[in-house]
Amino acid sequence: ADLRIEYSACNACGNCIRSCPVNALYKKGNKVVLEENHCILCGGCIDSCPYEAISIKQKRSETINRKKTSGIWIYAEHKNGIMHPVVYELLGKGRELADKSNHKLTAVLIDGESSHWAKELIAYGADRVILCSHALLESQQDEYHFDAMTTILEEEIPTIFLFGATSFGRSLAPRIAARLQTGLTADCTRLEIDDVCGYLYQTRPAFGGNLMATIMCPDQRPQMATMRPGIMNAKEPDYYREGTVKRVNYKGEIKPRIEIIKEIIGEKKKSIGDASVIVSAGRGIGSQKNMKLVRRLADILEGQVGVSRPLVDIGWSEYSHQIGQTGAIVRPQLMIACGISGAIQHLAGIADAKTIIAINTDPEAPIFSVANYKIIGDCVEVLEMLIRSDREKQN
Ligand code: FAD
């Protein structure tokens, strides 16, 4: 981008010079002059100019300008023969955005069992699948995947490109954004499209989660975002849906700087995000020994244990059990919240819980505003009562 001064409109009043925080403007004779190397394009001078004589001219990326944009794309991440669940969620959201803006939805699948997956991606909402296969792409080696994506993007670019905010998506998407000289909003929790101008409104927590920011990328294409897994809903698959498949040849001629020496697959733990019953505890549980009661009730109900953040902070639970904005997003059929106040950051993780039973001594606790059943009382006593009644039933 360049700062431009329109001298026919400028009367050298000096407002811009005074407003510039980096002394990039100065007077030479009766002309305002710009020291380009100093300018940080903050726009302060534009706001201060009463004659609208200053503007910022965007230099659009030449690569982008020459290319036709082709609808909405999602990146179909998979590993060891398993499609990442966020892909189905992206297809659901992508379909909704595509229908609203009259675009086609494309899924990009790099490597993988092509024909099987193409059918699956179309069933879940894609109109088209771009396939790019090569032996070098079998491992999740960022550099090869990035290079393959660059090959795909040489022919066409999307108007919107969505990735899962997984560790791989978080690594690949910024590289692509940098290559295309466009913006990227990471870790979105909400996406909306303006059906008139096509702008993507990308919402994500900002300032330590204390407010939600909606970000737009009006000048560059594609508009790119990574989306947090577990927030959106996948659509029901329709295996009669029809779509097209485009194959892109990848030559794999780069020399990567990273060498994968060995891949160690970690043990897959049951994720709290998939639990249909959760018994969760907050600070009101009182002591670490009472966590046994929470675990016991969760076992009786064949569910899992969830916690609020303070319990992770004081070491009573592992982070993998934390629910909320900085923890897991859960969607259980039943959730029993014991001694949890219902702070906004916690509620962000339980918005899709079907039935919430909240136990709290404070009748004004915010958790009650989202609860279906309210128990005003000591959660330790209620837990003991529930466990006892189960024991009595067994006898
Ligand atoms: P408290 O707020 O202390 O509430 C304890 C509750 O227990 C009270 O309502 C009290 O009335 C009740 N109580 C006390 N004794 C009993 C009893 N005997 N029986 C029944 N009830 C009792 N928090 C999360 O949970 N998840 C997140 O992901 C998360 N992310 C955050 C991100 C940011 C950027 C920030 C700033 C905060 C985040 N927090 C998160 C913290 C959040 O703001 C709250 O501080 C936290 O959720 C409070 O946890 P709590 O409800 O267990 O504790």
Side-chain angles (χ1 to χ4, degrees), residues 208 282-283 308-309 322-323 325-326 339 341 345-346 360 378-379:
R283 231 183 324 221
S308 65
R309 182 158 121 173
Q322 183 186 316
I323 295 170
Q325 184 189 300
T326 45
S341 60
Q345 295 88 356
H346 187 82
N360 200 303
D378 182 347
C379 61

Side-chain angles (χ1 to χ4, degrees), residues 26-169:
Y26 61 96
K27 235 182 207 176
K28 199 170 178 186
N30 58 359
K31 224 176 164 188
V32 175
V33 183
L34 170 74
E35 182 64 73
E36 275 191 35
N37 294 339
H38 291 184
C39 178
I40 54 168
L41 295 170
C42 66
C45 53
I46 299 175
D47 295 337
S48 74
C49 177
Y51 307 103
E52 296 183 359
I54 310 178
S55 60
I56 291 177
K57 184 128 179 104
Q58 293 282 344
K59 271 190 211 153
R60 283 179 152 245
S61 152
E62 290 181 7
T63 22
I64 290 165
N65 270 346
R66 274 194 252 119
K67 282 183 196 123
K68 209 171 105 233
T69 53
S70 61
I72 298 172
W73 293 13
I74 67 109
Y75 184 77
E77 179 182 340
H78 61 97
K79 199 170 183 192
N80 301 325
I82 299 167
M83 194 59 74
H84 196 291
V86 76
V87 172
Y88 301 110
E89 298 167 14
L90 289 173
L91 284 168
K93 187 61 178 177
R95 185 70 265 154
E96 181 194 313
L97 298 175
D99 289 342
K100 206 166 170 210
S101 57
N102 218 4
H103 276 123
K104 292 256 183 279
L105 179 64
T106 295
V108 181
L109 181 72
I110 293 189
D111 193 51
E113 256 185 69
S114 318
S115 49
H116 160 68
W117 284 126
K119 264 193 204 146
E120 180 92 349
L121 295 167
I122 290 167
Y124 276 89
D127 297 304
R128 178 177 72 144
V129 178
I130 295 180
L131 294 174
C132 181
S133 295
H134 192 286
L136 289 171
L137 299 167
E138 272 167 27
S139 68
Q140 262 190 343
Q141 220 287 26
D142 292 29
E143 287 172 281
Y144 285 125
H145 280 243
F146 170 59
D147 193 41
M149 273 306 315
T150 308
T151 310
I152 294 168
L153 293 161
E154 264 163 23
E155 288 180 28
E156 49 176 324
I157 59 158
T159 182
I160 291 172
F161 203 173
L162 307 177
F163 292 74
T166 60
S167 37
F168 189 67

Side-chain angles (χ1 to χ4, degrees), residues 299-318:
D299 286 345
I300 291 170
L301 299 172
E302 294 180 5
Q304 291 196 43
V305 172
V307 291
S308 65
R309 182 158 121 173
L311 299 208
V312 177
D313 293 345
I314 54 177
W316 291 2
S317 170
E318 282 178 27

Side-chain angles (χ1 to χ4, degrees), residues 205-210 228 281-286 290 307-311 313 319 322-328 337-349 359-367 375-382:
F207 293 103
N210 291 315
R228 249 180 108 169
R283 231 183 324 221
I285 198 70
N290 291 337
V307 291
S308 65
R309 182 158 121 173
L311 299 208
D313 293 345
Y319 168 71
Q322 183 186 316
I323 295 170
Q325 184 189 300
T326 45
C338 311
I340 291 178
S341 60
I344 185 126
Q345 295 88 356
H346 187 82
L347 298 185
I359 313 165
N360 200 303
T361 43
D362 176 5
E364 305 295 325
I367 189 83
I375 302 177
I376 299 165
D378 182 347
C379 61
V380 177
E381 273 176 29
V382 178

Side-chain angles (χ1 to χ4, degrees), residues 235-354:
K235 287 173 84 72
E236 282 300 313
D238 171 4
Y239 289 96
Y240 293 105
R241 275 192 96 243
E242 291 194 353
T244 56
V245 172
K246 173 180 173 180
R247 284 176 196 276
V248 175
N249 239 349
Y250 175 58
K251 296 198 179 87
E253 287 168 345
I254 56 153
K255 276 207 175 89
R257 285 164 296 177
I258 299 166
E259 185 191 347
I260 296 180
I261 298 163
K262 191 175 176 188
E263 263 192 74
I264 301 166
I265 299 169
E267 194 189 318
K268 191 160 170 23
K269 287 191 184 157
K270 251 188 165 182
S271 156
I272 190 168
D274 303 326
S276 60
V277 176
I278 295 175
V279 182
S280 61
R283 231 183 324 221
I285 198 70
S287 74
Q288 190 170 13
K289 80 172 182 348
N290 291 337
M291 287 302 290
K292 267 195 208 146
L293 300 172
V294 180
R295 238 168 273 129
R296 181 75 197 110
L297 185 62
D299 286 345
I300 291 170
L301 299 172
E302 294 180 5
Q304 291 196 43
V305 172
V307 291
S308 65
R309 182 158 121 173
L311 299 208
V312 177
D313 293 345
I314 54 177
W316 291 2
S317 170
E318 282 178 27
Y319 168 71
S320 56
H321 292 270
Q322 183 186 316
I323 295 170
Q325 184 189 300
T326 45
I329 308 285
V330 295
R331 293 177 173 152
Q333 293 297 311
L334 172 66
M335 165 148 219
I336 304 178
C338 311
I340 291 178
S341 60
I344 185 126
Q345 295 88 356
H346 187 82
L347 298 185
I350 62 172
D352 287 332
K354 190 118 192 254

